[in-house]
């Protein structure tokens, strides 16, 4: 299944930011938690999530992409570059880095699958 570029970008950003989104939604209402649960289910099924994320974040779709691309508040910008890993099934363009060669393989936050070494 091919998804458009915007959805691929958002899926990668969601994967990277999902732990922070989960933490944030855990402090919010049940409605927020259920919206995030739905988003995660749609992302696992590889269906579009941009509109759902926009609703959760109460932004337009372009603002949602911008918000995710800059990271949530408090997320650091430092990146290691020793080893690179990509999406387990190629559904998005996310790249994760491991600071330790032969260290633990990062996992996709959406599917909980190990990411592929690149």
């Amino acid at each position: 299944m091919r998804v458009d570029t915007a959805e691929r970008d958002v899926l990668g950003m969601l994967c990277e930011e999902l732990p922070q989104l989960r933490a944030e939604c855990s402090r919010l209402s049940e409605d927020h938690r259920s919206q995030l649960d739905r988003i995660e289910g749609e992302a696992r099924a590889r269906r579009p999530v941009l509109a759902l994320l926009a609703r959760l974040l109460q932004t337009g779709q372009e603002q949602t992409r911008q918000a995710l691309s800059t990271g949530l508040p408090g997320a650091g910008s430092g990146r290691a570059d020793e080893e690179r890993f990509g999406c387990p099934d190629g559904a998005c363009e996310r790249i994760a880095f491991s600071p330790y060669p032969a260290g633990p393989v990062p996992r996709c936050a959406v599917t909980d699958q190990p990411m592929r070494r690149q």
Side-chain angles (χ1 to χ4, degrees):
M1 168 198 236
R2 294 294 301 164
V3 290
D4 71 35
T5 302
E7 287 292 341
R8 285 180 61 84
D9 290 348
V10 167
L11 183 59
M13 291 178 235
L14 172 65
C15 183
E16 189 166 358
E17 298 294 331
L18 193 53
Q20 291 90 345
L21 275 172
R22 286 175 177 155
E24 183 64 26
C25 284
S26 74
R27 294 185 287 271
L28 299 173
S29 70
E30 178 59 36
D31 181 56
H32 286 93
R33 290 189 295 275
S34 52
Q35 284 182 58
L36 184 58
D37 287 344
R38 180 173 177 213
I39 291 165
E40 288 188 50
E42 294 298 302
R44 275 191 295 278
R46 302 305 195 222
R47 291 188 289 263
V49 295
L50 180 53
L52 296 172
L53 277 165
R55 180 174 169 233
L56 175 68
L57 300 175
Q58 298 178 352
T59 60
Q61 290 187 14
E62 187 55 36
Q63 291 91 353
T64 299
R65 286 180 70 189
Q66 289 172 354
L68 288 172
S69 70
T70 59
L72 296 173
S77 61
R79 301 238 187 250
D81 61 3
E82 285 83 357
E83 288 190 282
R84 293 168 43 107
F85 297 86
C87 183
D89 62 1
C92 76
E93 301 297 327
R94 178 176 176 217
I95 301 294
F97 298 92
S98 173
Y100 306 106
V105 174
R107 299 185 78 79
C108 169
V110 173
T111 65
D112 197 35
Q113 297 295 313
M115 295 180 78
R116 291 180 303 169
R117 185 170 274 110
Q118 296 189 324

